[in-house]
Amino acid sequence: MGDGNHIEEETMTDTQRPRRTRRGFIKAAGALTASGLAFPYVSRAQDKPIRVGVPTILSGRVAQLGISSRNALQIDVDKFNAAGGLGGRKLELITRDSKGKPDEAANNTRQLINGDGCEIIISAESSAGAFAVQEVIRELKVLCIHTNSETSSLSADPKIRVPTAFRTARQGIHDAIVSAAYAGSVAKAKGLKTWMSCSPDYAYGRDNTSLFLEYMKRFHPEIELVGEAWPKLFQADYTENITKILQAKPQALYSCLWAGDLVSFLDQSGIYNLFAQTTLFAINMADYTTLTAVKNLPAGIHSSSRYLKTFPAVPENAAWGDAYKAKFGDFPTNWSWENSLAMTFLTTALKKTNSTDGAKLADAMRGMKVKSPFGADGTVTMRAEDQTTIGYAIGWGTTIPKEPYVPTVTPGDWKSILEHEAEWKKKMGFA
Amino acid sequence: MDPQALLTCLSTASCVITQTTGGLISGMLLFLVAAGLSLIFGTLKVVNFMHGSLYMLGAYFAYTLYTATGSFTIAVVGSAIGVGLFGLVFERLFMSRVYNTDVLMQLLVCYGFILILDDAVKIIWGAEFLSMGMPAAFQRPPIMIAGGILPVYYLFLIGVTLGVALLLGLLLTRTRVGKIVRAAAVNPTMTAALGINTALVFGGVFALGGLLAGLSGALAAPVRSMVAGMGFSILIESFIVTVIGGMGSIGGALVGALLIGLVRSFGTIGFPLFTEGVMFLFMTLVLITKPSGLFGKEQ
Amino acid sequence: MRSTVWLDIVIAVAAMAVLLLLPLVFPGKAFSDFMIRLSAFAIFATSLNLLVGYTGLVSFGHGLFYGLGAYSFALMMQKLGTSIPVAFVATVGVSAVVATVVGAICIRLKEIYFSFLTLAFQMLLHSIIIAWTPLTGGDQGLTGGVPRPPFLGIRLDDPQHLYIFCCAVLVVSLFIMWHLVRSPFGYTMRMIRDNPRRAEFLGVHVWRVRLLAFVVAGVFGSVGGLLMSLFVSSAYPDFAYWTVSGEAVFMILMGGISVFFGPLVGAVMLLLLNDVVTRVTEHYSLMLGIIILCFALGLRKGLLGFVLWAWARRRATAN
């Protein structure tokens, strides 16, 4: 490899030299041919870019997911290529729109690998799509990083886990523990005893909410759940859910509605004056696209940090957010940083192994610790046992209607997260 | 399933009132869309499967007009007229070419337009969802009626919708225009033979249907976030409404819309995970027992 | 009649031989993936055309059987651990029963109301799949993969075996449907399509023929879903959504509604289009919408229908 590399560089400079001698050229060409005979695979691979397949959603209601994921990946790919790539081999992103359909996600992934020759997959799919991609990876065994699916079982359940598949998205169970710890302490301080939930009725909404309530009851047995509302995903009208909440008169409301659905829910709740009597804990509020879309953002909504350039409050994070905004004219989303983190792990593993082999990369990734602006302590670790990230920044705060939107964020305690997670895994039969 | 919760709710006045008004409100906007769908089917015998996209256009037009002028009235009126015109152009240029073909061709033309409009919206207004925000005139605390809560904007919405329903009813039953429309619906050839320009009638009906969908979209804009593809769920619901109420019957659309609104409203309490299933179950039962719908004329 | 059966069998065997040799020409896995998907969609679209094109029953809800086939097969494999042939036969049985019940209710209705009711039944199944999370996994679909234990030396977890299996199912299914439409029963179907009242006067049990056509179409529709569940190793609520029915309708119209192999050609076209367009642009909807309009307003016979029509006309003018 080292040899091939050297010769490759020599030819490059040779061909670029303006007054190139014929002898030099022949010599280099001969050497290149020789090296080609000696290392047929290496020299062929030398000039070929490393293709990274990205099955994602670019059309329909969640197009924002694919667009903000792809943007983030592109920034890091450009940076990696500008720095010389992997021994001259550049990264090339190939995105495919699954239109939000899991069977298309599966098919696109197969095509990316079998048809387009992608050697690595970054699955920027929502949960249903991610599970479909997982089955393809089980069969085709290339390296895969799930960047957007937060559903815990994707990595926690050994029956679903795949040796070459990783996750850099936040994980539902981590969110639940941090949320319950934060919401519980607010509940205690403000005397919020009666609680209700209003979350979208699909896998993520159900998992997220039931886990949150489970930990809420565990940490603070004195709270009382007075009802649940389950609007459909992408529902247009939340009136019947809002009136149901008004009936139950809870002191606090938990919701994992997101993006446009959360905005509709806030707009519609606003005219009922719902938040005059009820404190809202909306886990997906603190993402710029959501914060800026709401025209009359009520102050004092509690939210988890999805992406905030002020949390973690390090210059690298703020710089990354600003660079993204400058390049695409839009704020990055929660999906963006999850994809950027994937690129950090991927490029580190590529450099370490100098290979694109799924098993080798997977070996390198297991247990890898990288420096990252999105780490709680400046680093994020890819936990070896279940191939998912820990130590990423996670916290809660309250909103104000203008920048920085969430002035102070209370960070979650990773020691406590990991303890409770281990216990949860045992209970679920995962560990 | 939680039948206990449903019974408890039904036995308390405030719950019944609040859930009923909630149901009425979601039913109202649905009615405007469904009425247009029903009107078009009644006259042209065409199921306009892109009606949800007209609703979407209404919302986006309203957003742009409101952002540009700051006037909610201009936004609503302008958007309704704009979508009405769009409907007219669509009917003349495309739909009118497939009246005499298989129903599948009509389905295809609509499906093609759903796809095109969804992408067009994404290209023009972006992939991110948008929110128009509540106009200042309606930013006031809700009204309390007998323990039930009613926001001012929804009161306005109910008023506008009922007014439109009334006007529509009068237009179809009491005016010459209405007579022509009904005549063209029953026998277009005979109507044409009597010297009436049926092409104009058909175009006009489509424009009216579009206007109603656009109005609905514009009225929904302050409370519902917008995104490409938002018309799809509205289409499904208004389709259920018209089938239940009877394709071609405006009164049926009103009753159907309120019924679906109430099923959803009380379903949220009694069987939250299967409200959509119940709507389709309802539609199935109506089709089996009376295919032309509750208020439709027997074929 | 007998001699044409033999001829058709020879043609079917030849087609199968060609399909077996094709991987030598196109060695990549992408090709076999494409063919596996094609077999699922082609069987599904052709089965719908038995109703739409041959019997005049415009079903909007054929995806009911696609979803049913995928879920019943995948669930039997996952939860009961049966062998593949048993699950295959049982899936066909389940679909036949469901098709008989749903068909008996639906075919009573005329024209557009028949279409509405089929759509309602399909969406009912979709709602049930979404709501019955413990069994179906809800909107997430079935997770953990569909086991594919070997049978008779056939290992469907091997892509090559799966390719051969799907091609065989495709050829056999098309063969059976082809014979059905060319049998006396097929003529009766078309007679009912063209003039149900006249058929009734001639002593045809219109109701019975329509129901039988509905059941046959339902059974083959479910086979299409079954193959897809084998391919993606799962089943998703999308399989029972109305867009699936819409895609099948579009395949029929793209290929040609009046030609038996129209839906097959349409399936090839739509799948290729999907692959190519998503590759070059993210405005897939826009492109597809425009293409749909071209077919709906311009090329109404469908591609294969148009080619055959043009060919027949040329021959007519040459004579």
Side-chain angles (χ1 to χ4, degrees):
Chain A
M1 188 76 202
D3 261 311
N5 220 343
H6 175 71
I7 291 160
E8 173 88 359
E9 273 161 23
E10 193 182 285
T11 359
M12 286 290 288
T13 47
D14 221 84
T15 48
Q16 277 157 6
R17 197 176 298 157
R19 288 183 298 115
R20 169 184 69 193
T21 64
R22 174 176 281 237
R23 236 181 92 206
F25 178 74
I26 290 169
K27 194 177 121 201
L32 189 66
T33 320
S35 88
L37 288 171
F39 310 96
Y41 177 71
V42 171
S43 88
R44 190 178 59 85
Q46 283 292 326
D47 36 39
K48 205 178 69 173
I50 303 169
R51 293 190 156 178
V52 179
V54 186
T56 185
I57 303 171
L58 291 165
S59 56
R61 304 197 52 136
V62 273
Q64 187 63 21
L65 177 144
I67 293 169
S68 69
S69 296
R70 185 184 56 189
N71 287 352
L73 291 172
Q74 196 61 54
I75 290 180
D76 289 356
V77 164
D78 290 347
K79 207 189 289 168
F80 183 77
N81 288 344
L86 182 69
R89 284 187 77 186
K90 298 202 160 155
L91 285 181
E92 183 187 342
L93 285 181
I94 304 185
T95 46
R96 278 279 190 289
D97 181 12
S98 69
K99 307 161 201 102
K101 293 194 235 165
D103 56 316
E104 289 244 2
N107 180 55
N108 285 350
T109 309
R110 298 185 74 96
Q111 268 194 12
L112 284 164
I113 300 167
N114 288 338
D116 298 291
C118 290
E119 297 170 79
I120 291 149
I121 291 291
I122 288 184
S123 149
E125 283 281 350
S126 68
S127 278
F131 279 88
V133 171
Q134 186 85 336
E135 292 313 314
V136 177
I137 299 302
R138 194 187 302 280
E139 194 183 319
L140 299 180
K141 299 182 177 62
V142 300
L143 181 81
C144 168
I145 307 177
H146 296 286
T147 52
N148 296 26
S149 170
E150 302 175 10
T151 310
S152 296
S153 60
L154 182 65
S155 60
D157 187 342
K159 286 200 294 292
I160 296 175
R161 209 182 298 147
V162 169
T164 59
F166 294 77
R167 177 210 328 251
T168 57
R170 57 199 324 137
Q171 200 188 156
I173 180 71
H174 299 162
D175 259 337
I177 295 162
V178 175
S179 306
Y182 172 84
S185 68
V186 176
K188 200 168 250 175
K190 301 210 170 137
L192 306 174
K193 284 236 169 57
T194 52
W195 281 69
M196 203 169 156
S197 72
C198 177
S199 292
D201 177 24
Y202 77 115
Y204 163 75
R206 282 189 299 266
D207 286 357
N208 177 296
T209 306
S210 67
L211 273 177
F212 169 78
L213 293 174
E214 188 186 324
Y215 280 96
M216 199 62 190
K217 278 190 199 130
R218 170 106 62 94
F219 295 161
H220 301 275
E222 67 276 11
I223 69 142
E224 186 195 348
L225 184 67
V226 295
E228 294 170 45
W230 293 104
K232 292 257 160 306
L233 179 64
F234 304 145
Q235 186 161 319
D237 193 321
Y238 294 86
T239 307
E240 72 265 14
N241 300 292
I242 294 165
T243 53
K244 184 178 176 179
I245 298 164
L246 286 168
Q247 291 305 317
K249 297 192 175 60
Q251 291 170 304
L253 176 72
Y254 176 79
S255 176
C256 70
L257 286 164
W258 49 275
D261 288 1
L262 177 59
V263 173
S264 289
F265 178 74
L266 286 176
D267 282 342
Q268 292 171 25
S269 306
I271 57 174
Y272 274 103
N273 243 351
L274 178 63
F275 305 123
Q277 60 170 38
T278 302
T279 310
L280 177 63
F281 291 77
I283 185 165
N284 290 317
M285 185 74 232
D287 214 347
Y288 288 111
T289 42
T290 312
L291 290 163
T292 50
V294 185
K295 284 286 157 3
N296 314 306
L297 181 70
I301 294 177
H302 296 268
S303 174
S304 172
S305 59
R306 304 327 276 173
Y307 176 72
L308 292 168
K309 63 179 192 181
T310 49
F311 178 78
V314 291
E316 294 89 347
N317 182 26
W320 180 80
D322 289 335
Y324 183 106
K325 177 102 200 293
K327 179 155 185 175
F328 302 105
D330 237 337
F331 288 104
T333 63
N334 181 45
W335 298 308
S336 307
W337 76 256
E338 292 173 334
N339 278 279
S340 180
L341 182 58
M343 284 303 295
T344 311
F345 276 106
L346 176 61
T347 49
T348 315
L350 280 171
K351 280 184 193 140
K352 199 168 150 195
T353 59
N354 211 352
S355 157
T356 55
D357 179 68
K360 279 189 197 154
L361 285 171
D363 273 342
M365 291 248 299
R366 269 180 224 112
M368 180 187 278
K369 187 177 196 173
V370 295
K371 276 182 68 176
S372 167
F374 318 114
D377 62 354
T379 66
V380 179
T381 304
M382 181 63 75
R383 187 164 53 193
E385 63 183 73
D386 57 358
Q387 318 197 146
T388 194
T389 41
I390 52 170
Y392 51 85
I394 182 171
W396 276 72
T398 52
T399 57
I400 54 169
K402 56 178 194 298
E403 284 212 63
Y405 296 109
V406 187
T408 45
V409 179
T410 316
D413 172 18
W414 271 100
K415 191 166 157 281
S416 147
I417 296 173
L418 296 178
E419 278 169 22
H420 287 288
E421 187 195 13
E423 195 184 310
W424 171 79
K425 277 187 171 173
K426 211 168 272 167
K427 197 192 83 189
M428 298 295 289
F430 290 159
Chain B
M1 303 282 155
D2 193 358
Q4 192 60 46
L6 190 57
L7 284 176
T8 320
C9 173
L10 289 175
S11 58
T12 44
S14 70
C15 183
V16 171
I17 291 171
T18 315
Q19 289 309 107
T20 307
T21 49
L24 288 180
I25 291 155
S26 41
M28 283 301 167
L29 288 174
L30 203 51
F31 161 71
L32 289 180
V33 185
L37 193 63
S38 196
L39 187 69
I40 291 172
F41 182 83
T43 319
L44 286 70
K45 300 285 177 285
V46 167
V47 185
N48 180 25
F49 279 104
M50 59 155 282
H51 215 65
S53 304
L54 295 177
Y55 163 88
M56 170 177 75
L57 279 188
Y60 274 99
F61 284 179
Y63 174 87
T64 302
L65 286 172
Y66 183 72
T67 327
T69 64
S71 156
F72 186 55
T73 317
I74 293 179
V76 171
V77 174
S79 143
I81 292 173
V83 179
L85 286 177
F86 183 88
L88 179 69
V89 172
F90 169 72
E91 195 274 341
R92 281 295 90 203
L93 287 187
F94 298 97
M95 216 54 196
S96 59
R97 291 169 198 272
V98 285
Y99 285 154
N100 298 320
T101 59
D102 216 307
V103 61
L104 288 175
M105 290 299 169
Q106 300 162 5
L107 184 76
L108 267 194
V109 171
C110 293
Y111 187 49
F113 261 88
I114 292 176
L115 294 174
I116 292 174
L117 288 179
D118 276 356
D119 232 5
V121 161
K122 211 173 83 178
I123 293 167
I124 299 169
W125 283 278
E128 250 173 75
F129 50 89
L130 299 173
S131 163
M132 188 173 119
M134 185 55 66
F138 296 107
Q139 287 181 12
R140 50 187 75 199
I143 303 166
M144 308 293 289
I145 307 168
I149 305 172
L150 187 62
V152 183
Y153 183 70
Y154 286 160
L155 198 63
F156 163 77
L157 209 65
I158 294 174
V160 171
T161 318
L162 288 180
V164 169
L166 200 66
L167 278 179
L168 208 56
L170 287 176
L171 178 78
L172 287 179
T173 53
R174 297 289 157 85
T175 64
R176 195 178 123 75
V177 176
K179 269 189 198 139
I180 294 171
V181 168
R182 280 181 296 143
V186 177
N187 193 337
T189 345
M190 182 59 90
T191 319
L194 290 171
I196 287 159
N197 185 348
T198 45
L200 190 71
V201 176
F202 284 5
V205 166
F206 223 103
L208 184 57
L211 188 120
L212 292 172
L215 179 66
S216 176
L219 289 174
V223 282
R224 297 181 184 174
S225 65
M226 288 158 236
V227 72
M230 66 189 277
F232 212 65
S233 58
I234 298 294
L235 169 70
I236 295 176
E237 285 190 357
S238 55
F239 179 72
I240 299 175
V241 163
T242 36
V243 168
I244 290 176
M247 280 272 176
S249 160
I250 301 295
L254 185 61
V255 174
L258 296 182
L259 209 60
I260 289 300
L262 292 178
V263 164
R264 273 182 39 176
S265 178
F266 286 97
T268 308
I269 292 177
F271 37 90
L273 303 184
F274 201 59
T275 43
E276 194 164 301
V278 169
M279 289 195 271
F280 282 110
L281 199 61
F282 215 70
M283 173 172 158
T284 313
L285 291 177
V286 168
L287 278 171
I288 292 173
T289 49
K290 194 168 179 294
S292 54
L294 296 178
F295 293 84
K297 286 188 207 77
E298 290 293 343
Q299 297 277 310
Chain C
M1 198 67 200
R2 174 166 286 235
S3 63
T4 61
V5 172
W6 282 110
L7 182 64
D8 288 345
I9 290 179
V10 170
I11 293 174
V13 170
M16 191 62 213
V18 170
L19 286 173
L20 287 182
L21 292 176
L22 273 179
L24 298 179
V25 188
F26 305 102
K29 276 188 192 159
F31 173 75
S32 69
D33 282 354
F34 178 83
M35 289 301 289
I36 294 169
R37 274 199 327 144
L38 174 67
S39 62
F41 277 114
I43 295 173
F44 178 56
T46 308
S47 73
L48 175 59
N49 203 31
L50 291 183
L51 293 181
V52 177
Y54 285 93
T55 323
L57 290 171
V58 181
S59 169
F60 283 176
H62 202 53
L64 168 70
F65 299 104
Y66 194 74
L68 188 68
Y71 270 94
S72 54
F73 178 76
L75 281 174
M76 275 186 245
M77 296 309 296
Q78 259 194 351
K79 310 260 156 157
L80 303 179
T82 50
S83 74
I84 288 178
V86 172
F88 195 116
V89 172
T91 300
V92 166
V94 168
S95 324
V97 172
V98 173
T100 310
V101 176
V102 172
I105 297 171
C106 291
I107 57 171
R108 289 170 48 247
L109 302 193
K110 274 190 225 121
E111 294 158 14
I112 193 88
Y113 296 106
F114 167 80
S115 313
F116 290 168
L117 191 52
T118 50
L119 179 62
F121 271 111
Q122 158 168 25
M123 292 307 290
L124 206 53
L125 176 71
H126 183 259
S127 307
I128 291 171
I129 291 173
I130 295 275
W132 198 351
T133 316
L135 181 72
T136 63
D139 58 281
Q140 189 85 86
L142 293 172
T143 49
V146 174
R148 288 172 272 189
F151 64 99
L152 305 171
I154 304 171
R155 289 173 290 110
L156 293 188
D157 50 357
D158 178 331
Q160 257 180 330
H161 285 217
L162 185 62
Y163 169 78
I164 296 169
F165 178 78
C166 287
C167 288
V169 174
L170 173 67
V171 170
V172 171
S173 302
L174 291 183
F175 180 80
I176 296 174
M177 287 191 268
W178 168 249
H179 267 271
L180 185 80
V181 301
R182 299 216 310 167
S183 68
F185 182 75
Y187 287 111
T188 322
M189 278 160 59
R190 267 167 284 171
M191 192 198 292
I192 290 174
R193 173 194 68 192
D194 296 335
N195 194 338
R197 197 164 287 174
R198 184 161 158 263
E200 197 140 26
F201 284 145
L202 290 172
V204 174
H205 291 279
V206 172
W207 188 84
R208 207 183 285 167
V209 174
R210 279 182 173 158
L211 181 59
L212 196 55
F214 195 89
V215 172
V216 173
V219 163
F220 281 105
S222 76
V223 171
L226 185 158
L227 292 187
M228 187 49 90
S229 78
L230 268 175
F231 177 58
V232 296
S233 193
S234 180
Y236 305 103
D238 266 348
F239 291 171
Y241 204 50
W242 68 334
T243 44
V244 167
S245 309
E247 271 173 22
V249 166
F250 187 41
M251 285 172 182
I252 291 176
L253 292 175
M254 269 178 103
I257 192 168
S258 55
V259 202
F260 179 80
F261 291 104
L264 172 71
V265 172
V268 174
M269 287 164 70
L270 191 62
L271 289 185
L272 277 180
L273 200 69
N274 188 14
D275 292 354
V276 172
V277 174
T278 44
R279 200 171 295 238
V280 295
T281 169
E282 66 181 71
H283 296 298
Y284 171 77
S285 309
L286 188 68
M287 300 300 291
L288 188 66
I290 291 170
I291 291 165
I292 286 180
L293 282 188
C294 294
F295 273 92
L297 299 173
L299 201 60
R300 287 200 192 138
K301 287 185 196 334
L303 188 69
L304 188 61
F306 176 77
V307 169
L308 291 179
W309 171 81
W311 191 53
R313 213 176 65 153
R314 244 185 85 178
R315 268 182 39 171
T317 49
N319 289 341

